[in-house]
């Protein structure tokens, strides 16, 4: 499976970068480092990330939640609909400014995830979706998560499955990633930091997405990336299929995890 980001930023179906809406001065541009909502060109990746928020948000109900690495902020905003409090942290100043402007219900701050700006035992849940693969010191970050969590608090992590995202490589294909993990490596990282009851599931294409894969040469992901690398317009059928993808087109399950697209882990702080 190819990575989200090739050696050049993704291109729009017509072969040109997507433009920001002049009506939204706080909009984040699509660079390939993070996914953003409301762009047909990015809809596959956005829905692939959004579905994990939707499936795990109920575990945040009535709780104090930290999202460590909030990116555009759509996930923190979704969680804020059920949580008692959401604190979002990101290292990128532009992302923090964007979240502050677009999602007023989210308390956001700029900080290094290796030094979380929260007191010990101050939150019930830490959410870290599609971020840990970007970090240089993953053990230090996970230790920080354990520090800020209350006893019996949850750390919830999603990350690309190295086996399918960068197959046969020791270094990631994605230039924004520093270290990708397989399921065993992710579990070891959490256990070594003192977490218990670690469970890992895998995210897969559902039946409708598998039909789209078949229509586009075996992989709708590779079809998108091929046109991005060649800087060629997307065929109309690819445009239509990518725009039509919803969260319901993905499955989260605990079988065949090594073949999954993304890994989703939940771990408990003792």
């Amino acid at each position: 499976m190819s990575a989200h980001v090739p050696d050049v930023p993704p291109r729009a179906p017509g072969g040109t970068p997507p433009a920001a809406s002049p009506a939204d001065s706080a909009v984040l541009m699509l660079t390939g480092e993070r996914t953003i909502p409301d762009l047909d060109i990015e809809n596959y990746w956005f829905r692939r990330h959004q579905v994990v928020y939707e499936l795990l948000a109920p575990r945040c109900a009535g709780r104090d939640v930290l999202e460590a690495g909030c990116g555009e902020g759509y996930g923190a905003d979704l969680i804020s609909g059920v949580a008692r409090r959401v604190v979002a942290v990101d290292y990128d100043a532009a992302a923090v400014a964007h979240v502050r402007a677009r999602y007023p219900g989210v308390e956001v701050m700029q900080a290094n995830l290796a030094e979380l700006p929260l007191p010990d035992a101050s939150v019930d849940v830490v959410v870290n979706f599609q971020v840990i693969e970007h970090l240089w010191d993953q053990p230090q970050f996970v230790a920080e998560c354990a520090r800020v969590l209350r006893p019996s608090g949850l750390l919830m992590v999603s990350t690309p499955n190295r086996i399918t995202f960068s197959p046969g490589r020791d270094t990631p294909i994605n230039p924004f990633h520093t270290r990708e993990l397989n399921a065993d490596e992710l579990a070891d990282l959490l256990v070594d930091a003192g977490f218990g009851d670690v469970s890992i599931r895998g995210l897969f294409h559902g039946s409708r997405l598998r039909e789209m894969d078949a229509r586009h040469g075996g992989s709708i992901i590779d079809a998108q990336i091929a046109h991005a690398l060649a800087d060629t317009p997307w065929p109309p059928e690819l445009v239509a299929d990518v725009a039509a993808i919803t969260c319901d087109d993905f499955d989260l399950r605990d079988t065949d995890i090594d073949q999954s697209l993304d890994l989703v882990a939940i771990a408990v702080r003792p």
Side-chain angles (χ1 to χ4, degrees):
M1 191 73 68
S2 296
H4 176 192
V5 183
D7 292 334
V8 295
R11 295 285 180 167
T16 57
S21 167
D24 185 2
S25 60
V27 73
L28 287 181
M29 294 299 292
L30 181 63
T31 65
E33 184 174 8
R34 65 176 67 86
T35 190
I36 61 177
D38 307 322
L39 284 177
D40 285 351
I41 179 72
E42 185 69 3
N43 189 53
Y44 169 84
W45 297 100
F46 173 68
R47 300 301 180 189
R48 178 165 153 178
H49 295 182
Q50 183 189 30
V51 64
V52 179
Y53 284 99
E54 291 195 350
L55 291 172
L56 298 189
R59 294 177 178 266
C60 300
R63 295 181 169 187
D64 296 327
V65 179
L66 165 67
E67 181 168 23
C70 63
E72 194 274 343
Y74 67 89
D77 182 61
L78 187 156
I79 292 169
S80 72
V82 299
R84 178 168 53 196
R85 177 192 182 207
V86 176
V87 178
V89 174
D90 203 277
Y91 186 72
D92 183 73
V96 170
H98 171 83
V99 174
R100 188 171 288 127
R102 182 167 183 175
Y103 304 113
V106 175
E107 180 183 341
V108 62
M109 61 185 75
Q110 183 183 9
N112 189 329
L113 299 191
E115 298 178 355
L116 293 172
L118 276 76
D120 295 357
S122 56
V123 296
D124 303 301
V125 181
V126 176
V127 172
N128 181 251
F129 292 164
Q130 301 295 323
V131 173
I132 199 167
E133 66 276 3
H134 294 259
L135 304 182
W136 287 104
D137 194 341
Q138 294 172 350
Q140 170 64 20
F141 165 69
V142 176
E144 277 290 277
C145 293
R147 179 185 66 79
V148 302
L149 278 167
R150 295 170 181 142
S152 301
L154 300 180
L155 172 58
M156 303 196 298
V157 178
S158 75
T159 190
N161 180 4
R162 176 174 59 80
I163 296 173
T164 58
F165 207 72
S166 297
R169 292 173 58 100
D170 294 327
T171 57
I173 292 174
N174 188 317
F176 296 108
H177 293 180
T178 60
R179 180 194 176 206
E180 294 169 356
L181 304 164
N182 64 28
D184 289 341
E185 291 163 344
L186 177 57
D188 289 345
L189 182 68
L190 300 175
V191 170
D192 289 348
F195 284 90
D197 297 329
V198 176
S199 64
I200 297 183
R201 290 181 285 175
L203 191 72
F204 296 83
H205 284 180
S207 59
R208 199 167 75 108
L209 261 171
R210 291 196 299 271
E211 292 172 1
M212 292 182 187
D213 284 332
R215 283 200 294 273
H216 299 287
S219 171
I220 194 170
I221 301 172
D222 289 346
Q224 294 174 79
I225 290 175
H227 288 287
L229 288 170
D231 197 15
T232 55
W234 290 17
E237 57 272 20
L238 180 60
V239 174
D241 276 349
V242 168
I245 294 168
T246 72
C247 291
D248 291 337
D249 293 319
F250 295 91
D251 292 334
L252 188 64
R253 61 177 194 257
D254 57 7
T255 57
D256 301 320
I257 292 174
D258 283 346
Q259 283 73 54
S260 66
L261 301 166
D262 296 324
L263 306 170
V264 180
I266 299 176
V268 180
R269 181 194 184 281

